[in-house]
Amino acid sequence: MVYCFYNSLLNHLNDKEREFAVRKDEYCKILINKKIADNIYLMSLRNSRISKEARPGQFVMLALHDLNRASDPLLRRPFSICYAKDDVFYLLYRVSGRGTAIMSTLSPHSDIKVIGPLGNWFSQDISFHILVAGGIGIAPLLFLNARLNKLGLSSALLCGARSKAELIGTSQIKDLLQADDISPDGAAQYVTEDGSKGHKGLVTDYLMELIESNCLPQHPDNKIIIQACGPMPMIRAVRRLLLRSRWGENIRFEASLESVMACGIGLCLGCAVETRYGHIHICKDGPVVNGKKLI
Amino acid sequence: MDNYKNNYNNDKIKTDCREKKGDNAISNEKECEKNNLLSTQIGPISLPNPVILASGTCGYGLELIDLIDISSIGAIAVKGLSLLPRVGNPPPRIIETPCGLLNAIGLENVGIDDFLKRLLPIISSYTSRIIINILGDTALDYARLAKIIEENRDDAIIGIEVNISCPNVKEGGIAFGRSSKGAREVTGAVRGETGLPLIVKLSPNVADIVEIASSVQEAGADAVSLINTVLGMAIDIRKRRSRLSNIFGGLSGPCIRPIALRMVWEVTHSLSIPVIGVGGITSWRDAVEFFMAGASAVQVGTATLIEPDTGIQIIKGLERFMIKEGYNSVKDMKI
């Protein structure tokens, strides 16, 4: 694997798309920043360029230090784009550390510096998509779900969480965002570890049942892809499940990975992850990677 | 996946670059007239302005081309290069600490041959001032790297920066930077192979920085850049283990600035060798502190990761400050 952001970028794009491959650092106005579930917040930001160019799977780097002109918190934070419409894009985030705690206190109308959209994106050209979300990993998959619905491609959305309190319902987001293209609750499958909503157990157990059952389209021309985002143990469980399943070889697997990042733009090489190709960098070779090649 | 491989259309990029070079050449001339005030001399190296992007924080320059105009930066010091490609340390490689960044990347790089053959022609169409940072496991490695660069001399290569201070690899690197003997040995080996301007990047993880700087000066270095990262550590108290796979990492960012400033002062007030100040510079005010301590130029590192245009903002702020305060060159600022 040879390293060069520009190579992988150009390699990934066709001529028409290449003109969009420009990243910018711009101030965006916060429109909404509200709590929607336990520790889960939704933020909307105005920027027509990012909103128009963003594809499901891509992320942005938010500068939290810029607000008080200080060096703390020092680094920007990466967030997947969870939806984009007109000149507004949305981020769904879980408060898990200092950066996100500060972020949750930001008031609407303040301006925040954003670099984006960054990274690659999920495929949207397969006849049947199975989207597997673990916890806050639902963020990029909501965007993907909306785009697939718009394109008229069939998909199944499986959402896993520890309990009902941490579960993010698609209808809730759909209503908040007034997004016609996101599937309603009824079209998604919910799985909670404690059984407080939907099926009880792990989302990957439910995925296995789905794959092994004959519910999936079996026509040879129909191609199936699993697109997952969530904690690393979930991603690995999906990979193992595909390796074991008799259908595994015919099912593609794309995983959106998460990592601590210093820059998000290919400078620091800090977000390396080991794969069967050697090290790749999540910010520029990902965040969407071939899940079957993970270790 | 396809994008892991590297079969992009090289010619297309080169054409784009050539077009871009034309524009830059014109804007460069204007810049030069305007920036006489900012121009600086680091031993044999002349720069239109004293801001260099530090090695390891600007990739190979290409990663920044759509975000900033790298031709307006004094020079870029590319990611440290070794004889053969290196994969670096396993993750996790970075963690944020108060006002600082702790990293253990482990000198991941494409190797000198790939850089010179494939990347340099592209980068040199965006900037004509590239400093090549080199690293090796033995003094012979450094000498061979210098020889390869000498044999592939390009007008855009304005100097070699010898990294004898990376704390994140087991052999080499810091082993040479920790003793005067090692520092002298590597500097001498490189000097013997190249006539290019030679900068040695020093480690702060030593008892006496002046002693090390003095030995590399004697061995033929044209300048020193200091400091590299400070050796540090962070522990995850729930998992009861280091937050970095390498256990230790190099600390950078604003938290190390006072250490860097003190070391620059020590060297500039004891020796005649030109000093490039590095360590936690995030604004033009920080840069001015380093010039007042006697630095001939500064490098911006961690700040570029967070705000890619930091270098450009520093150049602008510095110019305003110098006009307002009546300085004719950055070296006038020394106190």
Side-chain angles (χ1 to χ4, degrees), chain A residues 211-252:
Chain A
I211 292 175
E212 298 300 332
S213 72
N214 286 328
C215 307
L216 291 180
Q218 300 292 351
H219 192 268
D221 292 341
N222 282 340
K223 294 196 176 107
I224 300 175
I225 186 166
I226 293 176
Q227 294 169 309
C229 184
M232 213 49 207
M234 183 197 94
I235 304 279
R236 290 206 184 94
V238 175
R239 180 181 154 268
R240 274 198 306 274
L241 181 156
L242 283 177
L243 288 179
R244 282 193 209 128
S245 165
R246 63 198 152 123
W247 308 112
E249 271 191 22
N250 302 323
I251 302 178
R252 281 176 56 192

Side-chain angles (χ1 to χ4, degrees), chain A residues 1-290:
Chain A
M1 205 274 307
V2 179
Y3 160 78
C4 176
F5 166 77
Y6 212 59
N7 296 355
S8 52
L9 189 67
L10 291 186
N11 202 19
H12 204 84
L13 307 178
N14 61 37
D15 284 342
K16 197 176 163 228
E17 290 169 328
R18 203 162 295 168
E19 61 193 88
F20 293 118
V22 171
R23 306 159 299 170
K24 274 188 190 159
D25 188 10
E26 289 178 326
Y27 279 101
C28 301
K29 191 169 284 303
I30 299 173
L31 302 176
I32 305 171
N33 188 22
K34 62 189 277 187
K35 190 172 178 174
I36 61 160
D38 244 17
N39 266 341
I40 310 281
Y41 287 73
L42 178 78
M43 179 183 271
S44 68
L45 294 140
R46 175 171 288 146
N47 184 296
S48 59
R49 184 185 55 84
I50 295 179
S51 179
K52 284 197 182 74
E53 289 177 16
R55 293 143 195 262
Q58 289 193 294
F59 66 99
V60 291
M61 293 294 289
L62 247 60
L64 300 166
H65 62 275
D66 193 58
L67 300 159
N68 50 3
R69 313 286 309 151
S71 301
D72 187 46
L74 185 67
L75 303 177
R76 290 187 187 228
R77 299 292 192 270
F79 296 96
S80 283
I81 296 167
C82 93
Y83 191 67
K85 190 171 74 174
D86 303 329
D87 59 349
V88 180
F89 66 96
Y90 299 82
L91 309 175
L92 198 59
Y93 64 98
R94 187 166 63 90
V95 174
S96 62
R98 259 194 84 233
T100 40
I102 291 169
M103 193 171 154
S104 69
T105 64
L106 299 179
S107 50
H109 305 300
S110 47
D111 291 302
I112 187 164
K113 248 181 162 182
V114 180
I115 300 185
L118 300 169
N120 64 2
W121 46 86
F122 287 114
S123 302
Q124 297 169 46
D125 53 359
I126 317 290
S127 30
F128 191 71
H129 294 248
I130 305 173
L131 316 189
V132 183
I136 195 67
I138 194 170
L141 296 176
L142 279 171
F143 195 12
L144 179 61
N145 168 262
R147 284 292 160 92
L148 293 175
N149 286 342
K150 221 174 189 174
L151 290 168
L153 292 165
S154 45
S155 65
L157 177 58
L158 320 183
C159 307
R162 258 175 296 210
S163 66
K164 189 181 173 185
E166 291 180 25
L167 199 71
I168 304 146
T170 56
S171 286
Q172 190 186 3
I173 305 283
K174 187 181 169 77
D175 294 345
L176 272 169
L177 272 48
Q178 296 174 333
D180 313 328
D181 42 7
I182 292 181
S183 301
D185 272 350
Q189 298 293 335
Y190 294 97
V191 186
T192 51
E193 285 177 35
D194 61 1
S196 50
K197 184 171 178 185
H199 308 269
K200 186 176 175 178
L202 294 171
V203 69
T204 44
D205 297 336
Y206 186 80
L207 175 68
M208 186 154 74
E209 279 174 35
L210 184 70
I211 292 175
E212 298 300 332
S213 72
N214 286 328
C215 307
L216 291 180
Q218 300 292 351
H219 192 268
D221 292 341
N222 282 340
K223 294 196 176 107
I224 300 175
I225 186 166
I226 293 176
Q227 294 169 309
C229 184
M232 213 49 207
M234 183 197 94
I235 304 279
R236 290 206 184 94
V238 175
R239 180 181 154 268
R240 274 198 306 274
L241 181 156
L242 283 177
L243 288 179
R244 282 193 209 128
S245 165
R246 63 198 152 123
W247 308 112
E249 271 191 22
N250 302 323
I251 302 178
R252 281 176 56 192
F253 174 30
E254 286 181 347
S256 174
L257 305 182
E258 188 182 41
S259 166
V260 173
M261 287 183 190
C263 68
I265 52 177
L267 300 175
C268 71
L269 310 185
C271 58
V273 60
E274 284 164 323
T275 70
R276 278 157 57 191
Y277 293 111
H279 282 148
I280 58 162
H281 302 98
I282 292 176
C283 73
K284 61 188 177 56
D285 304 313
V288 180
V289 303
N290 180 345

Side-chain angles (χ1 to χ4, degrees), chain B residues 99-324:
Chain B
C99 296
L101 170 66
L102 198 57
N103 89 78
I105 307 298
L107 301 172
E108 173 178 346
N109 75 90
V110 297
I112 189 76
D113 290 335
D114 191 37
F115 174 80
L116 290 172
K117 289 197 181 75
R118 188 171 60 89
L119 299 178
L120 184 64
I122 308 174
I123 307 159
S124 60
S125 64
Y126 287 93
T127 177
S128 52
R129 293 173 304 277
I130 298 164
I131 295 170
I132 300 192
N133 185 291
I134 57 169
L135 56 103
D137 294 336
T138 63
L140 187 63
D141 285 356
Y142 285 94
R144 282 163 67 192
L145 281 158
K147 195 174 177 204
I148 293 169
I149 296 167
E150 185 65 40
E151 285 165 356
N152 293 275
R153 253 188 146 160
D154 184 298
D155 289 343
I157 303 173
I158 58 162
I160 296 179
E161 184 177 59
V162 180
N163 181 359
I164 52 166
S165 44
C166 178
N168 295 328
V169 288
K170 292 195 172 62
E171 320 83 29
I174 189 95
F176 296 108
R178 276 211 171 125
S179 73
S180 306
K181 185 173 164 282
R184 188 181 291 119
E185 186 189 353
V186 170
T187 310
V190 174
R191 182 79 292 170
E193 296 291 345
T194 180
L196 278 164
L198 178 56
I199 305 162
V200 181
K201 190 163 187 176
L202 303 185
S203 167
N205 308 308
V206 295
D208 185 357
I209 191 87
V210 177
E211 188 192 321
I212 309 275
S214 165
S215 62
V216 303
Q217 184 178 16
E218 280 165 24
D222 295 308
V224 286
S225 47
L226 51 112
I227 58 176
N228 204 322
T229 54
V230 179
L231 198 57
M233 184 177 185
I235 289 177
D236 185 325
I237 58 168
R238 305 268 174 220
K239 293 179 182 159
R240 293 174 55 80
R241 62 169 188 240
S242 171
R243 288 181 179 271
L244 296 172
S245 68
N246 190 49
I247 316 247
F248 297 156
L251 183 63
S252 64
C255 60
I256 68 163
R257 195 167 61 233
I259 303 173
L261 197 61
R262 182 263 298 174
M263 288 188 154
V264 167
W265 177 287
E266 281 183 324
V267 174
T268 58
H269 286 71
S270 322
L271 303 172
S272 58
I273 191 166
V275 173
I276 302 170
V278 207
I281 297 174
T282 60
S283 72
W284 62 267
R285 289 182 190 83
D286 303 340
V288 167
E289 285 194 59
F290 279 85
F291 294 125
M292 292 194 170
S296 304
V298 292
Q299 288 188 359
V300 182
T302 305
T304 307
L305 303 178
I306 303 152
E307 300 286 339
D309 68 343
T310 308
I312 288 173
Q313 296 304 331
I314 290 176
I315 294 167
K316 286 183 187 160
L318 203 54
E319 192 179 25
R320 281 196 301 272
F321 175 76
M322 289 173 72
I323 292 170
K324 198 174 166 210

